[in-house]
Amino acid sequence: MATAQAPIMTVETTGCCIAGGGPAGAMLGLLLARRGVPVTLLEMHRDFDREFRGDTVHPSTLEILDQIGLAERVHELRNSKVSAPTLLTTRGPFTPFDLSRLKTKYPYILMVHQKDLLNLLTEEAKKYPGFHLVMGANVTELVREDGVVRGVQYQTDDGAHEVRALLTVGADGRFSRVRLLAGIDPVRTSPPMDVLWFRLPHLPEDIDAPGGAFGGFARGHILGGFDRKDYWQAAFVIPKGSYQSLRAEGIDGLRRRIVEVEPRLAKHVESLRDWQQVSLLSVESSRCLQWWTPGLLLIGDAAHAMSPVGGLGINYAVQDAVVAANLLAKPLLDGRITTGQLRAVQRKRQWPVRIIQAFQTQLPKRVIATALRAQEQQGLSVPWFVRAATRIPILRDIPPRIMALGVFRVRVED
Ligand SMILES: Cc1cc2nc3c(=O)[nH]c(=O)nc-3n(C[C@H](O)[C@H](O)[C@H](O)COP(=O)(O)OP(=O)(O)OC[C@H]3O[C@@H](n4cnc5c(N)ncnc54)[C@H](O)[C@@H]3O)c2cc1C
């Protein structure tokens, strides 16, 4: 790791330096580059092909991609669609939401590998001369002048480098180093669950999931599966902190518990042979009280890590990027960024984030925690009022609309 004393091999100057090439950083880089702002995007990994990070592209993000002319290309990527998942409950199949009724050009969640989405965004950004992507660039320090952040230092295989910028953006995810260096400490809440993600094969004796997904509960675990055409992307929700004891039981224990929830997966789970096939998402929800310091803005998971309920993290990161680009592209082109402008980005985004995080907190408390505690129960019944709400036309589309399209619709301004 570089230190402040490491000799700096190159110094580059740009308009906006973005640390982190996830959905937030890649989208912001593209949007600013489209507006003619010089951008340097620094990504720690050498490529975007890492372990599973989620792949739910919601209608809100599809609409944004449509506005910038990328909707067709994202649909050309290997994908599958989820519109109305089915949960298997004690009282039979239950469909918690149906996106096909929403007023949008894209009434479904498009399941796309995150690496494909990030490659698409960054390849598009590279068409603009002011965009510079550095892979394998680990941001290690902030450059400060008179209390204002003026860029970063980063480490690559060949040594330490510096980027000086009018604006530095920390889009480096839930464990953000930029946030740490800026001295911003998020408020954390810890939902009562963790999630194991893994793939299961499609087999002739397969699960029927007409809406593109299925789900079920049993004996303190929740299982969800998303049809990815050539495999199932499965999520196994476990009580928080139980991963180590589950792991100690060996992969056989995990296979057995999956089959307890969904006996029709008895053959599918034979493909799980090693814990390396399983990604752990330690579920955390957090938000920073302040998303900025002079010269620096945090967006995406760095500003607010979302719980996986609703698959919103990618989409909220993308919406942050759109709002940041809308509000900051012109000041960046004019060569002056004020703290008022950074505060405006936070003001516009913090309420949608807080509303969704409140919903994401209540659902685990009321439904998921009960399911995870139900050690002896073979299944869980969905409360009558939830069932009723999903049948009343005026009520049933409100939660899916908020989940799919955002609390407020976000549009790209040119
Ligand atoms: C296992 C798992 C499953 C998930 N499933 C879903 C899902 O189904 N749907 C959904 O919407 N969300 C899901 N999420 C959450 C989602 O991945 C995040 O909310 C979303 O990616 C946030 O985007 P971001 O750009 O803010 O941060 P990230 O995607 O975390 O991107 C941050 C980037 O910064 C880079 N970085 C970190 N430190 C540095 C550094 N020092 N220097 C340079 N680069 C750095 C990282 O390598 C990374 O590429 C999941 C997360 C996990 C871990």
Side-chain angles (χ1 to χ4, degrees):
M1 194 167 71
T3 67
Q5 288 77 40
I8 302 296
M9 302 181 63
T10 60
V11 179
E12 181 200 339
T13 302
T14 188
C16 180
C17 172
I18 305 170
M27 179 58 91
L28 180 62
L30 168 58
L31 294 177
L32 290 178
R34 283 176 86 241
R35 301 278 300 267
V37 176
V39 177
T40 296
L41 175 59
L42 303 171
E43 168 52 44
M44 182 167 85
H45 288 88
R46 288 189 180 76
D47 59 39
F48 294 119
D49 192 6
R50 324 192 260 290
E51 62 180 16
F52 179 69
R53 315 276 306 282
D55 42 15
T56 51
V57 179
H58 282 208
S60 60
T61 301
L62 292 171
E63 287 185 352
I64 287 163
L65 291 168
D66 190 34
Q67 286 164 38
I68 58 174
L70 292 181
E72 240 173 75
R73 282 172 56 199
V74 81
H75 282 82
E76 283 164 11
L77 300 173
R78 194 174 192 77
N79 73 71
S80 56
K81 293 174 183 164
V82 173
S83 54
T86 312
L87 296 181
L88 302 175
T89 73
T90 45
R91 293 176 56 195
F94 169 67
T95 301
F97 61 83
D98 184 351
L99 300 185
S100 65
R101 288 192 295 261
L102 293 187
K103 287 199 183 93
T104 167
K105 202 166 160 187
Y106 307 103
Y108 46 80
I109 296 170
L110 195 74
M111 309 289 291
V112 178
H113 287 298
Q114 207 180 108
K115 75 166 173 15
D116 293 340
L117 179 68
L118 296 176
N119 277 323
L120 174 70
L121 296 175
T122 50
E123 286 307 314
E124 183 66 16
K126 282 181 198 165
K127 293 181 183 161
Y128 298 90
F131 179 80
H132 182 203
L133 170 65
V134 190
M135 300 299 287
N138 183 11
V139 171
T140 52
E141 298 292 339
L142 295 178
V143 176
R144 283 193 175 89
E145 273 173 17
D146 302 326
V148 179
V149 176
R150 291 287 180 217
V152 302
Q153 288 177 2
Y154 66 93
Q155 184 77 23
T156 60
D157 283 345
D158 63 356
H161 305 261
E162 190 167 295
V163 183
R164 299 194 147 246
L166 190 55
L167 174 68
T168 300
V169 176
D172 50 344
R174 52 179 20 217
F175 305 113
S176 172
R177 170 141 184 103
V178 170
R179 183 180 66 202
L180 182 78
L181 292 168
I184 298 174
D185 201 12
V187 179
R188 293 188 170 85
T189 51
S190 186
M193 59 191 188
D194 288 327
V195 184
L196 304 179
W197 291 94
F198 48 87
R199 291 180 181 199
L200 294 174
H202 270 308
L203 293 177
E205 55 277 61
D206 226 342
I207 304 260
D208 185 27
F214 69 86
F217 317 80
R219 293 186 187 281
H221 296 104
I222 302 170
L223 176 72
F226 302 93
D227 189 356
R228 300 303 311 271
K229 286 188 178 155
D230 42 359
Y231 62 91
W232 291 103
Q233 180 65 56
F236 194 60
V237 184
I238 60 175
K240 182 138 220 89
S242 64
Y243 174 68
Q244 287 307 338
S245 59
L246 188 62
R247 222 186 135 133
E249 287 179 15
I251 199 81
D252 278 355
L254 176 62
R255 287 201 293 248
R256 195 183 63 249
R257 285 164 194 273
I258 294 168
V259 175
E260 276 174 5
V261 181
E262 182 42 88
R264 289 177 296 171
L265 290 176
K267 274 226 154 35
H268 302 69
V269 295
E270 285 170 15
S271 69
L272 282 180
R273 296 198 187 92
D274 196 305
W275 283 98
Q276 286 195 346
Q277 292 167 261
V278 180
S279 302
L280 167 70
L281 170 61
S282 173
V283 175
E284 184 191 297
S285 174
S286 72
R287 67 188 169 86
C288 294
L289 297 180
Q290 188 168 313
W291 296 20
W292 56 272
T293 63
L296 171 81
L297 177 69
L298 302 175
I299 60 170
D301 272 17
H304 51 78
M306 313 290 280
S307 121
V309 173
L312 292 161
I314 295 166
N315 304 282
Y316 270 57
V318 165
Q319 289 174 30
D320 287 357
V322 173
V323 169
N326 286 348
L327 292 174
L328 302 177
K330 181 154 187 319
L332 280 164
L333 288 170
D334 292 346
R336 185 161 183 268
I337 289 283
T338 64
T339 53
Q341 289 153 349
L342 301 179
R343 192 182 290 124
V345 176
Q346 173 177 354
R347 228 184 0 248
K348 220 161 174 171
R349 289 301 299 149
Q350 71 184 355
W351 280 107
V353 167
R354 288 188 72 167
I355 290 167
I356 287 297
Q357 285 187 332
F359 161 76
Q360 289 180 320
T361 307
Q362 287 310 313
L363 190 75
K365 260 194 201 155
R366 285 167 195 275
V367 180
I368 298 177
T370 318
L372 295 179
R373 276 197 305 268
Q375 291 298 330
E376 298 310 321
Q377 204 176 339
Q378 195 62 38
L380 188 90
S381 60
V382 174
W384 67 268
F385 56 89
V386 177
R387 276 183 189 275
T390 57
R391 290 198 192 113
I392 300 170
I394 202 159
L395 290 182
R396 69 184 177 196
D397 292 336
I398 296 173
R401 194 170 63 227
I402 292 173
M403 183 188 85
L405 295 168
V407 174
F408 307 112
R409 251 176 163 124
V410 167
R411 291 189 59 80
V412 177
E413 289 166 16
D414 279 317

